[in-house]
Amino acid sequence: MTRDEDVLGGEPRIEGTRIGVRHVAACVIEGGQSPAAVADQCDVSLAAVYEALSHYYEHVAEMREYEQANEAAFDEVRETSLEPKETVK
């Protein structure tokens, strides 16, 4: 796993990719996909998927902080986004 402030905002990711640890964990834990399916879908080794999952479980509190910050950013965008004044027919 690696981090770079210029890639995924510094979130941990699989080295040499833009595939974040949270993405891998979401696919496996929340999405019910097998690690092998995620490896195939993301075109990374099965070992890399297990390393990402291991990193996730070793840093659960940190991963939750990233998720909360991400949700807060989306909420802010939703609140400040322009909404049409009338419906187009």
Side-chain angles (χ1 to χ4, degrees):
M1 299 303 103
T2 189
R3 295 171 192 252
D4 183 337
E5 287 302 317
D6 294 331
V7 181
L8 298 181
E11 285 196 42
R13 61 185 170 84
I14 297 173
E15 191 166 356
T17 73
R18 294 181 57 85
I19 301 167
V21 167
R22 285 191 313 119
H23 175 75
V24 172
C27 290
V28 174
I29 298 165
E30 298 167 18
Q33 297 181 33
S34 71
V38 174
D40 186 53
Q41 173 187 2
C42 294
D43 196 27
V44 296
S45 70
L46 184 56
V49 170
Y50 279 113
E51 287 175 25
L53 290 170
S54 177
H55 186 90
Y56 178 86
Y57 283 117
E58 288 175 358
H59 302 91
V60 172
E62 177 186 4
M63 297 296 106
R64 288 187 179 145
E65 287 176 13
Y66 280 120
E67 184 62 34
Q68 290 171 348
N70 193 45
E71 287 176 9
F74 276 115
D75 288 344
E76 183 178 330
V77 168
R78 277 191 283 275
E79 291 173 6
T80 59
S81 293
L82 296 176
E83 293 185 23
K85 293 183 180 182
E86 59 185 65
T87 308
V88 177
K89 294 181 182 181

